[in-house]
Amino acid sequence: MDARNIGLRNIEVADTKICSIDGENGKLIYRGFDILDLVNHSTFEETSYLLLFGELPDPEQLADFGRRLREARNLPEPMIKNLKNRPKRAQPMDVLQSCVAELAEYDLNIDDYTKEAHVRRAISLIAKIPAIVAAWNRIRTSQHIVDPMEEGSHATNFLYMLRGVEPSADEAKVMDICYILHAEHSFNASTFAAREISSTRASMYAAVSGAVGALSGELHGGANVQVMKMLLEIGDPSNVEKWVANRLSTGGRVMGMGHAVYRTTDPRADILSRLSRAISKEKNNKWFEITERVEKATKKWMIENKKQSIYPNVDLYSASIYYSMGIPMDLNTPIFAISRISGWTAHVIEEKFAEAAPKPALYRPKAVYIGRYCGPMGCEYVPLGERHGQ
């Protein structure tokens, strides 16, 4: 079968000023800034500002941005009532996707199509998505909803709303770094979904809702959940080599290994590996050791049996970090969304206002038809009553 461009791999569909990935050298750039510099010096709030506005803020701009985020955190009361009426078995990503779409109903200026209005919506979504995730987890576990803090960082506030107890500074810093690392990654599946939907002139809420749906799949954002399930199945460091060999020799995949873009280690994986090592040591658990052994065993097996090099991606070590922090596994992907909303909304704005293109354009790729063919005149339609065992 001719796989000329199946999955649009390496097909250039648009220009962007938001993010650059050098897959050969393992570089990730947000608006011209290396991800390593942002992790070492920035915060999620500052990184979000950079993604939305294209420049790093000055102190006054950052303070105003933080104020706008804090003021936008509270959820509409009808939404909270709706959440309480949902089946507690509902999947967090399904709940989040529907809530993002529902937020359109509470936008009193939904018909305002200016860029300023879209920036306001972006800030509101960045602020509210953590509140939705935390509120749903409290509701489904029969706990009272925790209102947002009046102060505190974005990461601190999410952990507080989730647990009802203010997190330690170290935990908040780890979460903040995870947010920065997951905030943007160019034309990944969910971002492409958001931009494609935006190209139809649908609302930002529709675009982000679609992005949440794309992120929920296990080959995208849901991969970190599969990584943690893998670690739990392995159970002990001594089981790693046998488990990995069995999985790969029978045609299975080791989740968290390999990437569609990087041909070397995902730079985010390096940072997360160090965080996982530190938090596993602090919590005195085995999850980092198992994960590190999975990485090494997979690399070794692939070289020996396939003569191919393979490297960890962002999901391999993030799973153990969240698990070590006591976060339910099925919230791993919603946390990804909490981070990625900054990138999604930046891309929606860039798409809608042609900030990297001559003009907005509707996405309309072409498919190659390989189905039934009965000649240039088409197939003959036989009336229902005349069809006999065809």
Side-chain angles (χ1 to χ4, degrees), residues 305-363:
N305 295 275
K306 298 292 186 179
K307 307 298 187 247
Q308 295 176 0
S309 296
I310 192 169
Y311 302 93
N313 61 47
V314 71
D315 297 303
L316 186 66
Y317 286 97
S318 63
S320 58
I321 291 172
Y322 299 145
Y323 195 80
S324 294
M325 292 174 70
I327 295 173
M329 280 194 298
D330 63 358
L331 292 190
N332 286 9
T333 312
I335 290 173
F336 199 147
I338 290 171
S339 311
R340 188 56 59 84
I341 181 60
S342 299
W344 287 336
T345 52
H347 277 277
V348 168
I349 290 170
E350 184 178 72
E351 184 70 43
K352 283 183 173 293
F353 295 94
E355 294 182 338
K359 63 179 182 179
L362 175 68
Y363 282 71

Side-chain angles (χ1 to χ4, degrees), residues 134-172:
W136 174 243
N137 191 63
R138 303 285 295 184
I139 289 169
R140 69 173 180 165
T141 54
S142 301
Q143 300 179 82
H144 71 277
I145 294 176
V146 177
D147 292 330
M149 302 170 67
E150 294 185 3
E151 298 296 333
S153 71
H154 203 66
T156 297
N157 186 68
F158 170 67
L159 291 172
Y160 173 72
M161 289 189 295
L162 186 67
R163 300 169 172 173
V165 178
E166 191 170 342
S168 68
D170 287 343
E171 281 188 314

Side-chain angles (χ1 to χ4, degrees), residues 266-314:
D266 183 333
R268 301 168 298 175
D270 273 343
I271 299 166
L272 291 167
S273 174
R274 295 195 291 271
L275 292 179
S276 176
R277 180 192 295 272
I279 199 166
S280 283
K281 183 177 180 180
E282 177 191 339
K283 302 293 185 181
N284 192 29
N285 66 39
K286 58 191 175 182
W287 303 118
F288 170 77
E289 183 180 359
I290 295 177
T291 308
E292 186 179 44
R293 288 197 183 194
V294 166
E295 177 187 346
K296 292 178 178 178
T298 305
K299 286 180 173 178
K300 183 173 183 288
W301 193 96
M302 290 295 290
I303 285 290
E304 292 178 350
N305 295 275
K306 298 292 186 179
K307 307 298 187 247
Q308 295 176 0
S309 296
I310 192 169
Y311 302 93
N313 61 47
V314 71

Side-chain angles (χ1 to χ4, degrees), residues 52-53 68 72 106-112 114-126 204-205 349:
L52 284 176
F53 296 100
R68 294 178 71 180
Y106 306 108
D107 188 334
L108 300 180
N109 298 297
I110 193 67
D111 293 328
D112 186 343
T114 63
K115 182 176 178 179
E116 291 73 18
H118 281 81
V119 169
R120 173 182 57 77
R121 292 177 187 122
I123 292 172
S124 178
L125 283 163
I126 293 169
M204 177 176 280
Y205 303 102
I349 290 170

Side-chain angles (χ1 to χ4, degrees), residues 187-199:
F187 273 47
N188 55 85
S190 57
T191 299
F192 180 73
R195 292 193 69 133
E196 190 276 330
I197 294 169
S198 295
S199 78

Side-chain angles (χ1 to χ4, degrees), residues 79 86 93-103 209 212:
M79 175 175 283
R86 299 190 69 144
M93 285 297 283
D94 294 336
V95 172
L96 179 59
Q97 183 177 17
S98 62
C99 284
V100 168
E102 185 183 345
L103 284 172
S209 178
V212 173

